[in-house]
Amino acid sequence: MAKNKIMSEQRSSQQQKALELWCRLLSEDLNAAGLDQRKVLLPSIAIPWDQRSVKGMIFRPVFTAMTGLESTADADPSDYNKVYEVLCRHLSTKLGVTAPAWPDRNREDLR
């Protein structure tokens, strides 16, 4: 019975799709702002962002620090929103970048 409870508290496939889309949108915004990975993380090499690098170098480290979990697949449904809020605040105050809105299945422009 405990296993079913744990499984029901994990993020949904829809939440996973939203995370992947948000990472792609943020990578586009960071690149458009001229903030390649060199400017944000590695000072010696100009590396543009992509969905995978945003998830692995921005989202996952904050997610792990906040939840103690290594895999986003183990996320509680509320975890993504908490991490999103922390990242939005950081990106805005430290880099002057407004992060894209978290994807919502009801938004026409994200379908």
Side-chain angles (χ1 to χ4, degrees):
M1 185 168 230
K3 185 175 181 179
N4 289 340
K5 181 172 175 39
I6 291 170
M7 292 300 290
S8 67
E9 292 176 358
Q10 288 182 336
R11 57 98 173 118
S12 68
S13 64
Q14 195 64 29
Q15 286 174 308
Q16 182 62 28
K17 290 177 189 175
L19 171 59
E20 299 296 334
L21 178 57
W22 184 80
C23 289
R24 181 174 54 81
L25 294 171
L26 180 57
S27 72
E28 292 169 0
D29 288 352
L30 289 170
N31 289 329
L35 295 169
D36 59 32
Q37 293 181 43
R38 173 186 57 191
K39 303 243 181 187
V40 178
L41 300 172
L42 303 170
S44 61
I45 304 170
I47 305 168
W49 291 100
D50 61 21
Q51 176 180 324
R52 183 178 51 81
S53 60
V54 165
K55 184 177 180 186
M57 299 174 139
I58 295 177
F59 191 89
R60 190 182 319 270
V62 175
F63 169 82
T64 298
M66 291 179 67
T67 66
L69 301 171
E70 292 295 323
S71 174
T72 59
D74 296 329
D76 182 273
S78 65
D79 289 340
Y80 285 0
N81 189 52
K82 292 173 187 172
V83 173
Y84 169 76
E85 289 174 1
V86 167
L87 287 173
C88 284
R89 186 172 50 253
H90 173 77
L91 291 166
S92 176
T93 59
K94 299 295 184 187
L95 301 173
V97 171
T98 301
W102 190 261
D104 180 338
R105 64 178 161 216
N106 297 318
R107 283 182 49 196
E108 290 292 325
D109 60 326
L110 298 177
R111 288 187 188 170

